[in-house]
């Protein structure tokens, strides 16, 4: 695996791959890698060669009171993990490379960016969309791989790619979980042992919603009540939001009749965790497929 630190060099390497008519896959991350990240690489390797990954802790997507300075940075271990997973090129720019003095252009995906995560974290998706557009412009991949763990994020990036006529296909990959159901996240490292045990409550709440749906419930309020009851029974958990939303608009829905998400954001102590259950009606029977 070759590590590249400058935009010029990264563009040059990607240009060369394109000149050889190779299919470029791209996996952007903020590092502190876990099996959720390497699963994206494995998926990319099925379709693409070379696979390019990036590690960049993007200051523009953190709020002033968020964890930018203490976000875990484990670059040596990350480099070993990406190399073992088969990444061909690692793009590892400094913040000054991506945002030189005088930087002043931002991308906002309107509407979608204001709800749920956007409401709780003002400016977050503007920072995400801006850095992802920059990375996609630098690498110009054929395919870029994102996790469904950040469902609203990948929806916003897909919208941006469509609105701005990008030549990259955005691929959504399944959530990777711990054996006890907790979705893998770099922020899980912040949890105390007690909080880590309690953090399974997100998955337990979504599993209960799934059981309720399997029993025939399609009413969102009923599902929300089931989810909230479980979350609120956990003394270490404080619910930020727990909603049933349309998978396209991320607006609340009254009934599950189209693809939807049950989306959760929950504080475990100071650590904010997110998770979701994706629901897809199949045919006209009202039957659902679940992605948990
Ligand atoms: P991050 O490093 O947190 O910015 O995440 C980089 C990419 O990994 C994003 O596309 C995330 O959605 C994805 N990702 C993070 N956690 C998981 C997970 N548990 N399962 C699948 N993808 C994930």
């Amino acid at each position: 695996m070759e590590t590249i630190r400058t935009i010029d060099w990264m563009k040059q390497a990607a240009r060369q791959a394109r000149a050889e008519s190779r299919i470029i896959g791209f996996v952007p991350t903020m590092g502190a890698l876990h099996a959720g990240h390497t699963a994206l690489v494995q998926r990319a390797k099925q379709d693409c060669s070379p696979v390019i990954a990036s590690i960049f802790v993007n200051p523009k997507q953190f709020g002033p009171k968020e964890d930018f300075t203490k976000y875990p940075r484990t670059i040596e271990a990350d480099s070993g993990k990406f190399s073992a997973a088969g990444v061909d090129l690692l793009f590892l720019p400094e913040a000054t490379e991506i945002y030189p003095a005088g930087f002043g252009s931002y991308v906002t995906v309107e509407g979608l960016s204001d709800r749920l995560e956007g409401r709780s974290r003002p400016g977050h998706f503007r920072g995400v969309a801006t850095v992802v557009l920059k990375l996609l412009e630098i690498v110009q991949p054929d395919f870029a791989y994102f996790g469904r763990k950040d469902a609203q994020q990948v929806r916003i990036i897909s919208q941006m790619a469509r609105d701005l006529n990008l030549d990259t296909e955005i691929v959504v990959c399944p959530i990777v979980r711990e054996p006890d159901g907790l979705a893998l996240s770099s922020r899980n490292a912040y949890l105390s042992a007690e909080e880590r045990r309690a953090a399974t409550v997100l998955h337990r709440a979504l599993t209960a919603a799934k059981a309720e749906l399997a029993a025939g419930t399609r009413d969102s309020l009923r599902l929300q009540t089931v989810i909230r009851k479980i979350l609120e029974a956990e003394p270490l958990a404080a619910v930020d939001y727990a909603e049933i939303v349309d998978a396209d608009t991320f607006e609340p829905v009254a009934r599950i009749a189209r693809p939807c998400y049950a989306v959760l954001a929950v504080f475990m102590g100071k650590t904010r965790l997110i998770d979701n259950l994706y629901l897809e009606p199949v045919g006209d029977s009202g039957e659902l497929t679940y992605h948990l």
Side-chain angles (χ1 to χ4, degrees):
M1 184 180 75
E2 185 184 355
T3 300
I4 296 180
R5 292 170 195 274
T6 68
I7 291 170
D8 279 352
W9 189 7
M10 185 67 255
K11 280 188 170 179
Q12 170 60 30
R15 204 178 292 130
Q16 192 178 325
R18 273 194 303 283
E20 293 165 4
S21 301
R22 297 168 73 193
I23 308 286
I24 302 178
F26 181 49
V27 178
T29 78
M30 297 206 301
L33 299 179
H34 51 63
H37 298 114
T38 48
L40 300 179
V41 173
Q42 281 149 16
R43 176 63 214 282
K45 284 183 72 69
Q46 289 174 12
D47 316 325
C48 308
S49 172
V51 171
I52 302 175
S54 64
I55 297 178
F56 181 63
V57 185
N58 174 32
K60 306 271 186 206
Q61 71 187 68
F62 288 79
K65 291 189 184 140
E66 291 185 352
D67 54 344
F68 173 66
T69 49
K70 73 166 187 156
Y71 195 82
R73 287 159 171 91
T74 56
I75 192 60
E76 265 179 41
D78 290 353
S79 192
K81 285 179 190 174
F82 265 158
S83 177
V87 168
D88 298 292
L89 298 169
L90 172 60
F91 184 41
L92 189 63
E94 295 287 341
T96 48
E97 181 74 3
I98 298 293
Y99 302 116
F103 178 86
S105 302
Y106 293 85
V107 189
T108 302
V109 178
E110 291 185 357
L112 277 169
S113 298
D114 302 331
R115 297 163 202 147
L116 302 167
E117 285 299 286
R119 192 174 50 210
S120 296
R121 306 182 65 189
H124 171 65
F125 285 128
R126 176 185 187 249
V128 169
T130 300
V131 80
V132 172
L133 179 62
K134 282 177 67 83
L135 292 168
L136 294 179
E137 280 296 322
I138 293 164
V139 175
Q140 296 187 25
D142 296 282
F143 298 92
Y145 297 84
F146 294 86
R148 182 164 269 145
K149 157 95 177 354
D150 301 278
Q152 192 178 2
Q153 167 175 282
V154 71
R155 175 69 190 90
I156 285 169
I157 290 166
S158 299
Q159 186 67 44
M160 175 181 78
R162 193 188 310 165
D163 289 347
L164 302 182
N165 308 106
L166 304 186
D167 281 331
T168 300
E169 187 174 320
I170 305 300
V171 182
V172 188
C173 301
I175 301 177
V176 179
R177 297 176 180 280
E178 298 280 8
D180 66 3
L182 177 66
L184 294 180
S185 163
S186 307
R187 290 191 167 95
N188 292 350
Y190 299 152
L191 300 171
S192 69
E194 213 185 341
E195 287 166 350
R196 170 62 188 82
R197 276 191 294 276
T200 57
V201 73
L202 283 85
H203 182 253
R204 282 189 277 121
L206 294 172
T207 305
K210 188 174 153 181
E212 188 72 24
L213 286 155
T217 301
R218 293 292 177 272
D219 178 57
S220 293
L221 212 54
R222 170 81 200 126
L223 284 175
Q224 243 173 309
T225 308
V226 167
I227 290 171
R228 280 194 172 265
K229 212 165 160 183
I230 291 173
L231 295 176
E232 284 163 11
E234 172 48 64
L236 294 182
V239 181
D240 181 0
Y241 61 74
E243 292 190 32
I244 315 296
V245 296
D246 184 286
D248 207 34
T249 63
F250 279 76
E251 298 273 25
V253 292
R255 281 187 69 72
I256 319 278
R258 288 175 26 82
C260 288
Y261 281 104
V263 282
L264 307 182
V266 177
F267 282 96
M268 302 297 308
K270 287 190 178 140
T271 307
R272 189 169 174 282
L273 301 178
I274 59 171
D275 203 345
N276 66 73
L277 164 66
Y278 179 54
L279 304 162
E280 229 180 341
V282 280
D284 298 327
S285 61
E287 216 181 304
L288 290 175
T289 56
Y290 310 92
H291 304 255
L292 185 59

